[in-house]
Amino acid sequence: MNTQMIICMVIFAATLVSYMLNKIPMWLTAMISLAALYFTGCIDASGALAGFSNVNTLLMATMFVVAAGFRRTSLVDGMCDAIMKVTRGSFRMAYFGYILLAVLLTNFIASPMVVYAIVSPLLAALCDNTGHSRSQYMFPVMVVCVACCGILPLATAIQMAGQYTGFMETYGFAGMSIQPTDFTLAAWPVLIVVPLWALFLGPKFTPKEPVVPIEALEERKSGKQAQKLSPLVDKLGIIIFFATILCLIFSSQLHLTTWSVALVGSLLMVLFGVVDQKSALRDIPWDMLMLFVGALALGTALTNTGAGDLIGNALATAVGGTHNNYVLGALFFIIPFLLTQFMLNRSVSAVFIPICLLTCSALGANPTGLVLLVNAGSLTAFLTPMATPAVPMCMADGGYDLKAIIKSGALITLILPFVYIFYTMTVLPAF
């Protein structure tokens, strides 16, 4: 372990402690962490500034504006009223409908953050109109968006199947491939367990009231509600929102980048007066964006200083010559799962897929199930703002701090490894 890595780990630990204590704003902690990493040489200028130009940062900011515009339209309240009528006034049934919508969309759209941005305005309106606390329900739905992504054999699974098959061919597993249906075979119980947790257990572990103020609710309490939209602008807001969503869903077929679609959508919301220019700037949670930018810098530093390689090599040594499916499964799910809370999921996947394949080659194991566990561990992260852009969005919508997020996600964090390790390694064993 070199000096740079030690410095990085110290800054990493101090950042986490500051997040947990919450004595200063989290965005300030993130920016101090970024500055410390730069001045100690753990990241260069491009690494420090990369978060500001990151696709997800822009996507998150613009989707807040698009979602804010949609929230102002009459359709949101209309849909909530219609759902309440269909469910005969049952909040739980309406809430379950949004959970199912999140499950469906997150298998069509590769970005859990985009899915959350679609569902969250509807859920927020449902909570506000029925007198339920947003803080109890926003986090569980965000977890559904993250944990259930890419399990059905649709666009996301097809893309990842091709990528991992290429890895397998590169590392000597000629004639073997991963099919999109393998993702379903390996993880279909998650599509049952996570929605049921979100429906029955998730709200019991979330705060009953916001831990930090929710700006939209604070404005409502102070009487600073926006004026009602004219019929024409109302219709334009609805059209812009759904046009943006459709373009995001079919972005690959349309040869469009997701950030450009969201940017155009947000600009049109402002241009046509669905959101006024001052509200557009207020609707973007700049503190959460700063938090995300700082988190990206920390993840970059952990990668650049070799922390990922260090842990990966230690893992490869730890598995030794074991032929126990569940021990291997636990190692190749839990370590990526924990690392992805603090590092970019692609970085973790890029480190652990080769290690997994090299280990399987040395042991003479079938890599399919283990590769899918690395994929699941690398992508299923929701305990920190670094994990996925959906987390800082959810923190703004539900009024959570880091301590509330960790407490809210503790139970499902224990359930998911159990489901993945024992089920996946039973149906797709390495030996």
Side-chain angles (χ1 to χ4, degrees):
M1 185 178 291
N2 58 44
T3 304
Q4 211 73 61
M5 189 184 299
I6 294 172
I7 293 172
C8 180
M9 295 302 291
V10 169
I11 295 172
F12 169 66
T15 301
L16 287 186
V17 170
S18 182
Y19 282 153
M20 294 298 294
L21 294 177
N22 202 23
K23 295 296 184 182
I24 62 174
M26 286 190 291
W27 71 267
L28 184 57
T29 294
M31 290 294 100
I32 293 173
S33 172
L34 183 152
L37 291 167
Y38 172 70
F39 285 114
T40 55
C42 295
I43 50 174
D44 57 16
S46 61
L49 298 175
F52 291 98
S53 60
N54 184 273
V55 168
N56 288 318
T57 306
L58 181 59
L59 188 59
M60 184 166 31
T62 52
M63 282 306 296
F64 266 111
V65 177
V66 172
F70 183 52
R71 284 191 186 102
R72 293 197 62 201
T73 67
S74 60
L75 183 61
V76 173
D77 287 336
M79 289 178 69
C80 289
D81 292 340
I83 289 173
M84 290 304 290
K85 287 180 182 178
V86 170
T87 58
R88 298 180 180 179
S90 170
F91 173 82
R92 173 163 286 187
M93 288 300 296
Y95 172 56
F96 186 54
Y98 288 129
I99 291 173
L100 294 181
L101 177 62
V103 171
L104 181 64
L105 289 177
T106 202
N107 281 281
F108 276 103
I109 304 173
S111 171
M113 185 211 59
V114 172
V115 176
Y116 175 76
I118 296 171
V119 178
S120 60
L122 300 172
L123 179 58
L126 175 67
C127 291
D128 296 346
N129 293 347
T130 57
H132 288 77
S133 171
R134 291 190 189 187
S135 302
Q136 286 190 277
Y137 299 98
M138 302 306 285
F139 178 79
V141 167
M142 184 275 292
V143 172
V144 171
C145 295
V146 175
C148 296
C149 182
I151 293 177
L152 295 176
L154 300 171
T156 303
I158 292 170
Q159 178 185 353
M160 290 189 296
Q163 177 184 344
Y164 293 150
T165 297
F167 267 116
M168 290 171 72
E169 292 173 353
T170 300
Y171 284 86
F173 292 91
M176 297 186 68
S177 64
I178 290 180
Q179 301 298 321
T181 51
D182 289 334
F183 291 88
T184 308
L185 175 63
W188 68 263
V190 174
L191 294 177
I192 298 174
V193 171
V194 172
L196 289 178
W197 164 84
L199 181 62
F200 294 109
L201 297 176
K204 294 182 180 180
F205 290 86
T206 50
K208 286 185 170 53
E209 297 297 332
V211 179
V212 296
I214 301 174
E215 187 172 340
L217 294 182
E218 292 298 309
E219 289 181 0
R220 178 176 298 183
K221 290 177 183 177
S222 64
K224 296 179 180 178
Q225 287 184 270
Q227 293 182 351
K228 191 174 181 180
L229 301 176
S230 69
L232 176 60
V233 174
D234 185 67
K235 289 183 176 64
L236 286 172
I238 295 169
I239 292 170
I240 293 168
F241 178 78
F242 283 104
T244 301
I245 298 310
L246 287 172
C247 288
L248 286 170
I249 292 173
F250 298 106
S251 58
S252 58
Q253 291 87 341
L254 296 172
H255 304 290
L256 298 171
T257 54
T258 53
W259 68 265
S260 64
V261 170
L263 176 61
V264 170
S266 65
L267 293 176
L268 290 175
M269 284 290 188
V270 178
L271 182 64
F272 288 104
V274 184
V275 180
D276 65 69
Q277 59 178 355
K278 291 183 179 178
S279 295
L281 293 175
R282 287 198 304 267
D283 286 328
I284 298 173
W286 297 104
D287 54 342
M288 291 301 166
L289 290 182
M290 294 300 100
L291 176 62
F292 183 63
V293 168
L296 290 180
L298 184 57
T300 300
L302 289 170
T303 302
N304 290 349
T305 56
D309 289 333
L310 177 70
I311 296 171
N313 292 332
L315 178 60
T317 303
V319 299
T322 183
H323 282 63
N324 186 299
N325 287 305
Y326 302 106
V327 170
L328 287 169
L331 288 168
F332 283 112
F333 177 85
I334 292 174
I335 303 300
F337 179 78
L338 294 175
L339 278 179
T340 307
Q341 309 296 338
F342 312 109
M343 297 171 63
L344 292 175
N345 50 22
R346 291 184 180 179
S347 300
V348 175
S349 179
V351 168
F352 277 89
I353 291 294
I355 291 172
C356 175
L357 292 172
L358 288 171
T359 303
C360 289
S361 179
L363 297 175
N366 185 323
T368 302
L370 293 173
V371 167
L372 293 175
L373 283 179
V374 172
N375 171 74
S378 299
L379 298 180
T380 309
F382 43 76
L383 292 178
T384 69
M386 303 87 136
T388 167
V391 174
M393 288 187 75
C394 178
M395 292 172 76
D397 286 338
Y400 307 108
D401 61 8
L402 184 62
K403 191 181 297 184
I405 287 286
I406 293 175
K407 181 181 177 181
S408 301
L411 179 61
I412 192 64
T413 298
L414 296 174
I415 292 173
L416 279 175
F418 182 83
V419 173
Y420 268 113
I421 294 163
F422 287 96
Y423 172 76
T424 304
M425 293 315 296
T426 298
V427 296
L428 293 170
F431 299 99

